[in-house]
Amino acid sequence: FLSEKTFKAIKHGHPFIIIGTPGSLAQLRSLGYRTFDHAIDCDYDQIIDPTQRWLRIAEIITDLKSKNLHDWFESCIPDIKHNQLLFSQSKYNRLNNLHDKLLHQLATT
């Protein structure tokens, strides 16, 4: 399950760590999004045990705090731009499909 919080981060250009169900990053990747694999160790996405998952996420956040965050963020910009473009395109296509279906329904009723 991907929440609006994930897509809010994508829309506003924020790199993210998902504190959610295992496989969330895999689901995003299957939709074409990039999950900052070069900048964040995303192995936590495969950890099933909630406690172990949380401990791994805490380690990743601690590691990020020790980095030059300006340089780190700069390295994420290509993925941020890709995700924002994909987000706006996919939203546009979904709205067009909905519009077409509604017009078809109106025409056939």
Side-chain angles (χ1 to χ4, degrees), residues 8-87:
K8 182 177 180 182
I10 289 170
K11 179 182 179 194
H12 293 288
H14 298 274
F16 51 83
I17 294 172
I18 296 179
I19 302 174
T21 57
S24 296
L25 295 179
Q27 179 66 26
L28 278 175
R29 286 186 207 104
S30 75
L31 296 171
Y33 289 99
R34 296 181 187 168
T35 57
F36 310 100
D37 297 349
H38 70 284
I40 300 170
D41 187 350
C42 295
D43 66 347
Y44 72 91
D45 191 49
Q46 301 170 15
I47 300 173
I48 304 299
D49 179 81
T51 302
Q52 294 304 311
R53 184 178 173 79
W54 172 249
L55 290 173
R56 182 64 188 121
I57 290 169
E59 288 175 3
I60 292 166
I61 292 170
T62 299
D63 180 57
L64 285 174
K65 288 173 36 180
S66 71
K67 296 182 185 257
N68 178 319
L69 291 181
H70 175 77
D71 291 344
W72 178 84
F73 181 81
E74 290 284 324
S75 77
C76 293
I77 289 177
D79 289 348
I80 289 169
K81 289 181 178 181
H82 169 85
N83 288 345
Q84 287 179 319
L85 181 61
L86 182 61
F87 176 78

